[in-house]
C-alpha cells in the first residue's frame, strides 16, 4: 500500500521559514519523480515544485516561489522535502506531496500526471 505523509506545516510570520517533509512507503521511491502542490481556500490546486527521479538536480519551480523555495529528496530515507524561506501571506495553503513513476522533463510540472497524493499539511503565514 502506497503512503505519502506530509509533516512540518504550521503557523509562521511573514518572512519566516518552514521545512516540509513527505515520508513515503510502499513504492520504489527512486523510480518516482516527486512534486509539491498547494491549494488555498477557494482556489484550485497549483503546482509548486518538482524533482526528477533521474537526477535530483533536475528541479522545476512555479514562478511565484522561485528563489524562495527549494525542493530536495533523500533516496535513502525515501523522503521528499520543501524548504520554504521568505514566506508571504499568499503562501498560505494546504501543501501536498505527490509521486509520478518515471516522470520526465517538464511533464512533471503537470499535476494531472501524478498517481499518488498525500493528505496535506497546512501552512499559514500571518502578516
Amino acid at each position: 500500500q502506497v503512503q505519502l505523509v506530509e509533516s512540518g506545516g504550521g503557523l509562521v510570520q511573514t518572512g519566516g521559514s518552514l521545512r516540509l517533509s513527505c515520508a513515503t512507503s510502499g513504492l520504489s521511491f527512486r523510480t518516482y519523480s516527486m512534486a509539491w502542490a498547494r491549494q488555498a481556500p477557494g482556489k484550485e490546486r497549483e503546482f509548486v515544485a518538482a524533482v526528477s527521479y533521474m537526477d535530483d538536480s533536475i528541479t522545476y519551480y512555479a514562478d511565484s516561489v522561485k528563489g524562495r523555495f527549494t525542493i530536495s529528496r533523500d533516496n535513502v530515507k525515501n523522503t521528499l522535502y520543501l524548504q520554504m524561506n521568505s514566506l508571504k501571506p499568499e503562501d498560505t495553503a494546504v501543501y501536498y506531496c505527490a509521486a509520478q513513476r518515471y516522470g520526465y522533463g517538464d511533464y512533471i510540472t503537470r499535476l494531472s500526471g501524478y498517481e499518488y497524493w498525500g493528505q496535506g499539511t497546512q501552512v499559514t503565514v500571518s502578516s
Side-chain angles (χ1 to χ4, degrees):
Q1 180 182 0
V2 175
Q3 286 192 312
L4 283 66
V5 180
E6 302 94 338
S7 62
L11 174 65
V12 64
Q13 291 185 334
T14 297
S17 298
L18 283 174
R19 188 193 195 204
L20 304 184
S21 299
C22 172
T24 73
S25 60
L27 53 75
S28 181
F29 187 72
R30 292 175 182 271
T31 66
Y32 282 80
S33 290
M34 301 294 296
W36 289 96
R38 67 187 181 186
Q39 187 166 17
K43 295 188 176 181
E44 292 188 356
R45 193 171 298 189
E46 64 175 2
F47 169 79
V48 173
V51 58
S52 173
Y53 79 98
M54 292 186 289
D55 184 338
D56 59 9
S57 70
I58 299 175
T59 57
Y60 299 86
Y61 294 92
D63 288 343
S64 59
V65 306
K66 206 171 290 184
R68 299 188 298 122
F69 290 10
T70 303
I71 189 171
S72 62
R73 63 188 296 159
D74 186 328
N75 288 343
V76 174
K77 296 182 178 179
N78 296 336
T79 301
L80 177 72
Y81 301 100
L82 185 68
Q83 178 67 44
M84 305 187 295
N85 299 327
S86 302
L87 283 161
K88 305 174 181 180
E90 51 264 44
D91 294 319
T92 295
V94 177
Y95 283 72
Y96 300 90
C97 65
Q100 178 183 154
R101 195 166 194 193
Y102 299 130
Y104 66 95
D106 62 3
Y107 187 74
I108 65 175
T109 66
R110 304 176 197 175
L111 299 183
S112 60
Y114 284 84
E115 302 156 55
Y116 301 107
W117 290 84
Q119 292 301 305
T121 185
Q122 176 71 46
V123 171
T124 303
V125 184
S126 63
S127 57

